[in-house]
Amino acid sequence: MISIVVCVGSSCFLRGASAVIEEFEKIAEGLGPKKFEIKGSFCMERCTDGVTVKVGDEIFTAVSPEDVPKIFESHIRPLIEAENAKLHSGVK
Ligand code: FES
């Protein structure tokens, strides 16, 4: 399962982490059965650049709700497709 981790530390919270999470949730709902999970995290130590989001090893900073579809298309959809390909090929 692909995890998207959104910082909900106080600085990121004040910078709109909830709205970022809502955007990811909207995309998740549109995809049908669970393709990724959204988790909250304590401070990721990039407070001055928040909202901070982590997908796999990649960290995104200054994320706004408007950035979420771009991040999804460029980084999350390819991971979902790779996971689907693995499932269909029988490789785990
Ligand atoms: S509160 Fe989000 S990086 Fe510190």
Side-chain angles (χ1 to χ4, degrees):
M1 172 73 66
I2 297 154
S3 293
I4 298 167
V5 184
V6 180
C7 177
V8 291
S10 50
S11 178
C12 288
F13 182 79
L14 290 173
R15 290 170 190 251
S18 311
V20 169
I21 290 171
E22 279 173 25
E23 281 302 311
F24 278 119
E25 284 173 343
K26 277 188 214 163
I27 291 174
E29 284 167 17
L31 291 175
K34 230 174 172 194
K35 302 287 187 201
F36 60 84
E37 62 184 353
I38 306 159
K39 297 177 179 176
S41 157
F42 291 117
C43 178
M44 295 182 184
E45 299 180 4
R46 293 174 190 247
C47 309
T48 56
D49 300 324
V51 175
T52 308
V53 174
K54 189 172 179 212
V55 179
D57 294 333
E58 198 108 23
I59 292 192
F60 301 88
T61 55
V63 176
S64 69
E66 293 74 30
D67 298 325
V68 169
K70 276 186 284 179
I71 293 171
F72 176 77
E73 289 301 330
S74 63
H75 289 81
I76 301 164
R77 189 183 291 281
L79 292 175
I80 291 171
E81 287 171 357
E83 226 171 59
N84 284 344
K86 262 196 243 170
L87 284 175
H88 293 295
S89 71
V91 177
K92 292 185 180 175

